[in-house]
Amino acid sequence: MPNTSTANQKPARKKRPPLKERLERMGLAGEWDYILHLPLRYEDKTQITPINELVSDVDALVEGTVVSSNENIFAKRLEAVIEDDTGSLQVKFFKYFPGTKELFKEGNKVLLYGRPKPAWRGKGFEMLHPNSKLSKPTHELDKTLTPIYPAGEGIQQQWLRKRIQTAFLNVDIKDLLTEQEKAQLNLPSLKDAITSIHYPAPDANLEELQNKTSPGWQRLKFDELMAQQIMMTLSRKRRESLKAPILVTPVDKKHSLTGQFYLSLPFKFTGAQKRVWREIVRSMESSVPMNRLVQGDVGSGKTVIAAMAAAFAIDNGYQAALMAPTEILAEQHFNKILEWLKPLNVKVVWLTGKLKAKEKNQALEAIENDANIIVGTHALIQESVKYKNLGLAIVDEQHRFGVEQRLALRAINSEGLMPHLLMLSATPIPRTLAMSYLSDLDVSVIDELPPGRKPITTKIFLLSRKDEILESIRNELSQGRQAYWVCPLIEESEKLELTAATVAYEEIAAALPEFKVELIHGKVSTEDKNAIMDRFKSGETSLLVSTTVIEVGVDVPNATVMVIEHAERFGLSQLHQLRGRVGRGSGKSFCIALFGDKLSHEGKERLKIFRENSDGFVIAQKDLELRGPGEFLGSRQSGVPLLRFANIDTDAELVTKAKKLAVQWIENNDPRAEIHASRWFKNKEKYLEA
Ligand code: ADP
Ligand code: MG
């Protein structure tokens, strides 16, 4: 693109990315991807239904002659009546092209495909916006049902159908199961199975196809589950063949670092924390590298557990590292750890990409020598970082990291041992997902909040009521409370996001002149960021306007109001995280979600779920229902394969069968295991090490 910008150029419209990229976003790259891009539903255009046999709400193909046609130009409406030998049908278009008007000229014979509904006026049925074309004497009806594919991103059904047909020609759908295995499992061949789903015969059982229980679907789900079971078995084997440092609980518990740290805390662990702590200790006492996820709602006390685990590693002469996805969050952890462990003579080192050369070299040197615990961002996994003897790697908000990043931190240490890995997440994984793709992961759940937490009241308002909201915030602030104001997420551009935040800040500061209002965002330097956060923590600043940088980890108990502008643009778990920033002290807390006037149906649903639920687990489960597992936990980008077709809950019988055969193949060193897994999982290697 020529780089000639002029002053009065129109702002660039968001351009649609190239076809290849859009296809890849839909998971369509190789031939197998197309083969496995399965229909959402079908249209039956294999036979014509006589008008008097139409059934309400059952899509049908109808052939008839146009007997009347009326156009209402002002209302932009076209109404026609067609007739066959058995009856008449009303047809309505509320928006149409000139071609449609032409098509529905009196006397024309037309073919319509659509959904009959009882007519609004008169007797019989009407169809709104049917697919219509001229009926020609030479016209042949379809031989199979027409598949309707998941599309979107400007990709047409017609194009997809052709492309999938091509894939069928290009791929030799070899069956890896022997005839005997198929017979035993009572499953059809893979080719027959896939063909029956893409191109069902006219007499196929549509209900079985739609609810994915037809023999073809059973076979496909079985293969998917097989692939997953193979991967999980291999992954577990690989991990179990590696050795981790065996940690032992010091004999003199009270005088160990772990013991002293616990005694120094101003609180006791909750029951849930105690249980999780025991689970962690048991894993770290084993020579099999720990692969444990600690899951707990925002504020449930995961960080202190992680610090205890670090103390346990240090007690045994090993280093621990804690990696967080953002600078602010890492820093929050660093300060906490300093506060907790420095008085106990632990050497805590800070490392991020933003350190100046001299500080960075000092940090690197300490990491190679006498650092006990290292806290930081991605900088922790750069090549220049050489750990003396890492025994425990802790990854906070693990789902925000890619698989490679998590792996890098737990690389084999200098003693040839693999560090234990502890992951933390406030985004709960629903049981079905945990059992399916994360079964090589041990999950510990902190399902209890520390005592004294107050429920947060969530309210939803139209953005245009900002002035009223500001009034009630003034009220809250004048009682000595503090508030957050989170500005809208603008996905297209960080720059736009910043502009929006600046505008909001100026507006809010002007509306609340008697209070100190500050703005924080991703472009603020570390130094300034610290200063801003310090002023907020100390209470000098009453209201903090921010972009989403404060999403995680900020801990200011005196803050009681969280305003989220354009809440409809955030995901549910993100909203829940943001809300978790308040309700940490003794004051009654509020979360105010403001939405723009253009709310999609899904957006409305999401906000409703958010207002009505305070439990992160319930929210995550509903989020999953709303969005589907593909989006969950950013699993797409992390390369962790999910089940697309099978369902762990409803296909339990298939899971058992798949597991049995998978184990059998692996025990027998059957080469089919490898081939089968590669077919399903493109990122096989990544998954194995995840
Ligand atoms: P999370 O990381 O799960 O969001 P944190 O570990 O940051 O939660 O804990 C939130 C706050 O609660 C911190 O100030 C922490 O010191 C405190 N806290 C943790 N465990 C307890 C407990 N058992 N009793 C009281 N306060 C606790
Ligand atoms: Mg936390």
Side-chain angles (χ1 to χ4, degrees):
M1 214 166 52
N3 194 6
T4 52
S5 68
T6 56
N8 53 5
Q9 215 174 10
K10 267 193 262 169
R13 254 204 317 159
K14 213 184 144 196
K15 262 223 196 112
R16 188 181 264 170
L19 179 65
K20 188 162 172 272
E21 199 174 299
R22 281 180 280 142
L23 289 168
E24 272 167 11
R25 280 213 296 244
M26 289 170 61
L28 297 171
E31 298 297 311
W32 266 102
D33 297 332
Y34 287 98
I35 298 271
L36 294 178
H37 194 67
L38 301 178
L40 283 172
R41 59 187 178 85
Y42 306 89
E43 289 182 350
D44 185 356
K45 295 182 185 168
T46 61
Q47 52 183 338
I48 289 171
T49 306
I51 290 177
N52 71 349
E53 287 178 23
L54 288 175
V55 176
S56 183
D57 282 321
V58 177
D59 295 354
L61 186 68
V62 172
E63 187 180 44
T65 309
V66 180
V67 294
S68 78
S69 181
N70 285 300
E71 187 186 20
N72 182 334
I73 299 175
F74 298 107
K76 286 224 167 146
R77 192 160 68 204
L78 181 69
E79 299 189 354
V81 176
I82 70 155
E83 254 180 35
D84 66 5
D85 294 343
T86 68
S88 66
L89 172 72
Q90 302 179 33
V91 178
K92 289 178 184 166
F93 292 90
F94 296 112
K95 246 187 199 157
Y96 52 93
F97 292 107
T100 312
K101 197 177 123 195
E102 195 63 24
L103 180 65
F104 283 90
K105 265 219 212 99
E106 279 169 37
N108 273 355
K109 199 169 189 190
V110 290
L111 263 179
L112 311 177
Y113 185 85
R115 182 161 298 181
K117 298 255 182 202
W120 183 249
R121 255 181 287 123
K123 274 186 293 195
F125 287 112
E126 66 183 16
M127 272 187 192
L128 302 185
H129 292 250
N131 262 326
S132 348
K133 63 177 175 189
L134 214 52
S135 174
K136 299 199 181 112
T138 52
H139 180 82
E140 272 189 38
L141 293 178
D142 290 350
K143 298 272 187 303
T144 57
L145 303 180
T146 313
I148 306 295
Y149 292 106
E153 304 228 28
I155 294 155
Q156 305 297 324
Q157 286 295 327
Q158 208 56 33
W159 187 91
L160 264 177
R161 266 178 223 140
K162 279 231 176 71
R163 182 63 188 82
I164 289 166
Q165 271 165 1
T166 311
F168 261 86
L169 295 177
N170 290 344
V171 176
D172 178 13
I173 306 179
K174 271 214 199 90
D175 211 320
L176 292 172
L177 297 186
T178 61
E179 292 305 320
Q180 200 195 349
E181 283 166 340
K182 269 179 285 191
Q184 263 171 13
L185 293 158
N186 194 19
L187 290 172
S189 82
L190 184 59
K191 186 160 187 180
D192 287 352
I194 297 177
T195 310
S196 77
I197 297 172
H198 280 288
Y199 311 111
D203 62 350
N205 182 334
L206 259 186
E207 205 180 315
E208 277 191 350
L209 272 172
Q210 303 277 21
N211 59 27
K212 303 187 181 174
T213 53
S214 67
W217 273 106
Q218 298 277 344
R219 170 63 205 259
L220 205 62
K221 290 189 203 177
F222 177 83
D223 277 30
E224 179 180 46
L225 290 165
M226 256 301 265
Q228 191 186 52
Q229 293 297 332
I230 291 170
M231 297 301 272
M232 281 174 348
T233 312
L234 289 177
S235 159
R236 198 173 323 121
K237 278 197 147 182
R238 185 179 292 197
R239 186 161 62 90
E240 282 168 5
S241 71
L242 294 167
K243 293 261 171 296
I246 300 177
L247 306 189
V248 291
T249 303
V251 187
D252 181 5
K253 263 196 200 171
K254 274 221 168 100
H255 292 97
S256 68
L257 177 64
T258 318
Q260 285 185 334
F261 172 41
Y262 187 66
L263 292 174
S264 75
L265 288 172
F267 50 78
K268 294 229 149 35
F269 275 179
T270 60
Q273 280 172 314
K274 280 188 192 147
R275 171 171 44 75
V276 169
W277 171 241
R278 278 195 300 272
E279 286 165 1
I280 292 171
V281 168
R282 211 169 305 136
S283 297
M284 292 177 50
E285 285 172 345
S286 150
S287 68
V288 176
M290 172 166 76
N291 205 29
R292 185 171 290 280
L293 174 70
V294 171
Q295 211 176 277
D297 214 340
V298 185
S300 62
K302 298 179 292 295
T303 313
V304 65
I305 292 272
M308 279 282 279
F312 188 33
I314 297 167
D315 265 332
N316 281 269
Y318 289 98
Q319 290 178 315
L322 195 171
M323 179 165 78
T326 66
E327 185 108 354
I328 286 205
L329 182 54
E331 194 160 337
Q332 193 100 30
H333 285 320
F334 176 67
N335 290 331
K336 265 265 149 77
I337 303 251
L338 265 188
E339 175 193 322
W340 284 332
L341 297 180
K342 194 154 178 249
L344 303 170
N345 294 322
V346 170
K347 176 145 186 177
V348 190
V349 168
W350 168 243
L351 184 68
T352 72
K354 289 197 178 155
L355 287 186
K356 298 202 183 78
K358 193 175 149 216
E359 298 162 330
K360 190 176 171 192
N361 287 335
Q362 271 174 0
L364 290 178
E365 205 188 300
I367 295 171
E368 266 194 87
N369 294 296
D370 59 347
N372 296 123
I373 174 163
I374 305 98
V375 183
T377 54
H378 300 87
L380 259 58
I381 50 174
Q382 274 157 10
E383 256 174 63
S384 52
V385 187
K386 301 210 168 36
Y387 295 92
K388 183 179 167 218
N389 61 351
L390 193 62
L392 171 68
I394 304 165
V395 181
D396 193 17
E397 299 295 326
Q398 59 92 23
H399 58 283
R400 312 237 318 217
F401 289 100
V403 175
E404 292 95 338
Q405 293 170 319
R406 281 195 317 247
L407 292 182
L409 189 57
R410 75 166 332 178
I412 307 287
N413 75 11
S414 59
E415 298 171 10
L417 298 172
M418 173 173 263
H420 293 289
L421 177 64
L422 184 66
M423 294 167 272
L424 312 177
S425 177
T427 309
I429 304 168
R431 196 185 70 90
T432 44
L433 281 176
M435 281 189 51
S436 50
Y437 77 98
L438 294 173
S439 88
D440 185 37
L441 189 75
D442 296 314
V443 181
S444 292
V445 182
I446 308 185
D447 50 6
E448 184 184 350
L449 289 180
R453 293 282 158 82
K454 298 256 170 66
I456 303 161
T457 305
T458 302
K459 294 187 172 176
I460 299 178
F461 294 106
L462 202 59
L463 195 55
S464 54
R465 292 177 63 184
K466 223 180 200 176
D467 289 346
E468 279 168 67
I469 310 289
L470 280 167
E471 236 2 85
S472 47
I473 288 179
R474 162 174 289 127
N475 228 332
E476 197 72 9
L477 300 187
S478 46
Q479 291 169 42
R481 306 281 184 211
Q482 289 165 280
Y484 298 102
W485 189 293
V486 177
C487 289
L489 190 71
I490 300 173
E491 282 188 352
E492 301 94 84
S493 143
E494 213 177 314
K495 213 166 152 192
L496 280 180
E497 190 162 302
L498 185 55
T499 314
T502 311
V503 171
Y505 159 73
E506 278 162 8
E507 201 181 317
I508 294 162
L512 301 168
E514 68 271 46
F515 298 105
K516 187 170 173 68
V517 178
E518 288 207 84
L519 172 66
I520 192 166
H521 54 75
K523 287 271 166 348
V524 173
S525 74
T526 308
E527 242 165 84
D528 291 346
K529 220 180 267 176
N530 289 344
I532 295 171
M533 288 315 295
D534 283 345
R535 285 194 290 272
F536 190 63
K537 270 182 232 163
S538 72
E540 184 188 337
T541 302
S542 297
L543 193 152
L544 189 62
V545 179
S546 101
T547 53
T548 47
V549 294
I550 61 151
E551 182 190 335
V552 277
V554 181
D555 196 8
V556 179
N558 190 46
T560 52
V561 183
M562 165 64 68
V563 183
I564 308 169
E565 222 182 285
H566 276 295
E568 77 278 10
R569 295 189 196 164
F570 293 86
L572 261 176
S573 60
Q574 224 176 351
L575 288 173
H576 182 63
Q577 288 258 358
L578 285 171
R579 179 168 58 186
R581 299 302 115 212
V582 295
R584 297 183 158 226
S586 54
K588 170 104 194 82
S589 293
F590 299 90
C591 176
I592 297 167
L594 300 176
F595 63 93
D597 52 357
K598 283 189 217 104
L599 255 192
S600 66
H601 175 71
E602 206 218 298
K604 223 180 265 170
E605 272 304 296
R606 228 181 309 139
L607 290 182
K608 187 163 168 272
I609 293 170
F610 178 56
R611 185 185 59 205
E612 292 171 359
N613 295 279
S614 57
D615 182 328
F617 277 80
V618 178
I619 290 180
Q621 185 65 45
K622 301 216 171 190
D623 203 16
L624 180 70
E625 283 162 22
L626 218 58
R627 291 194 296 166
E631 302 282 341
F632 209 76
L633 278 179
S635 44
R636 260 192 203 150
Q637 78 222 23
S638 67
V640 176
L642 292 162
L643 288 175
R644 286 167 61 189
F645 306 126
N647 177 319
I648 293 286
D649 285 331
T650 52
D651 298 315
E653 204 178 317
L654 281 176
V655 177
T656 315
K657 287 182 185 170
K659 192 166 191 166
K660 203 170 142 204
L661 194 61
V663 170
Q664 197 178 314
W665 281 9
I666 288 172
E667 307 266 280
N668 295 341
N669 280 325
D670 194 321
R672 288 181 297 167
E674 187 86 1
I675 302 171
H676 184 77
S678 316
R679 237 183 213 182
W680 282 85
F681 296 137
K682 272 169 273 173
N683 296 319
K684 199 162 118 289
E685 282 311 307
K686 279 193 203 167
Y687 179 61
L688 274 182
E689 293 174 30

